[in-house]
Amino acid sequence: MYIVASYAVYLAVSIAVTIWVARTLHHNGRVFLVDVFHGNAALGDSVNHLLVVGFYLINIGYVALALRTTDPADTPRQAIEMVSNKLGVVLLVLGAMHFLNIYVFNRLRRRGEEPYLPPPLPPDAHVSLAE
């Protein structure tokens, strides 16, 4: 009885949260990516846009796949519990995607900084192996 309404609420909230997170990542990730690409704003913007597209595809695809349920929704309580359970999983997936993006960005940034690091110091002692 409540299943169609539950699906509608789940889809509306999941897609709205996905859009909000993607916009936040796009807005705040730009500065970071421009830094990663050493001031090349065009490349940073391009990568930022591609990451947002991938983020949308993965998360909206997951939301669509997770729509199916065998749980009953005969009472308002069951419907609310089902929707909250599904939304909780979506939020955890969005959080995991966010941390994955941060990890990848950090790796890109570190790789980009390696050529600018000072060379290692020469050794100041020599240890001979006794045979």
Side-chain angles (χ1 to χ4, degrees), residues 21 75 78:
V21 171
T75 66
Q78 288 175 330

Side-chain angles (χ1 to χ4, degrees), residues 90-110:
V90 167
L91 293 174
L92 289 172
V93 168
L94 286 171
M97 288 292 296
H98 172 67
F99 283 113
L100 179 65
N101 279 339
I102 287 176
Y103 174 76
V104 169
F105 288 162
N106 191 38
R107 296 284 302 195
L108 285 170
R109 188 171 176 208
R110 283 188 180 171

Side-chain angles (χ1 to χ4, degrees), residues 10 19 43 56-57 63 67 69 76 79 86 93 117 119 128:
Y10 165 72
I19 291 170
L43 182 58
Y56 276 130
L57 290 172
V63 165
L67 181 65
T69 186
K86 288 184 171 297
V93 168
L117 294 175
S128 62

Side-chain angles (χ1 to χ4, degrees), residues 24-127:
T24 301
L25 291 173
H26 184 265
H27 176 72
N28 295 317
R30 181 188 187 279
V31 174
F32 185 80
L33 285 171
V34 169
D35 180 54
V36 166
F37 294 114
H38 307 293
N40 187 343
L43 182 58
D45 288 341
S46 179
V47 169
N48 197 13
H49 182 74
L50 291 172
L51 287 169
V52 168
V53 169
F55 183 83
Y56 276 130
L57 290 172
I58 289 171
N59 286 296
I60 301 238
Y62 178 77
V63 165
L65 287 174
L67 181 65
R68 182 176 173 206
T69 186
T70 57
D71 296 339
D74 300 327
T75 66
R77 177 183 175 173
Q78 288 175 330
I80 290 169
E81 288 175 351
M82 181 189 70
V83 170
S84 66
N85 184 36
K86 288 184 171 297
L87 287 175
V89 172
V90 167
L91 293 174
L92 289 172
V93 168
L94 286 171
M97 288 292 296
H98 172 67
F99 283 113
L100 179 65
N101 279 339
I102 287 176
Y103 174 76
V104 169
F105 288 162
N106 191 38
R107 296 284 302 195
L108 285 170
R109 188 171 176 208
R110 283 188 180 171
R111 187 177 305 158
E113 290 176 349
E114 284 177 2
Y116 302 105
L117 294 175
L121 297 173
D124 60 354
H126 178 63
V127 178

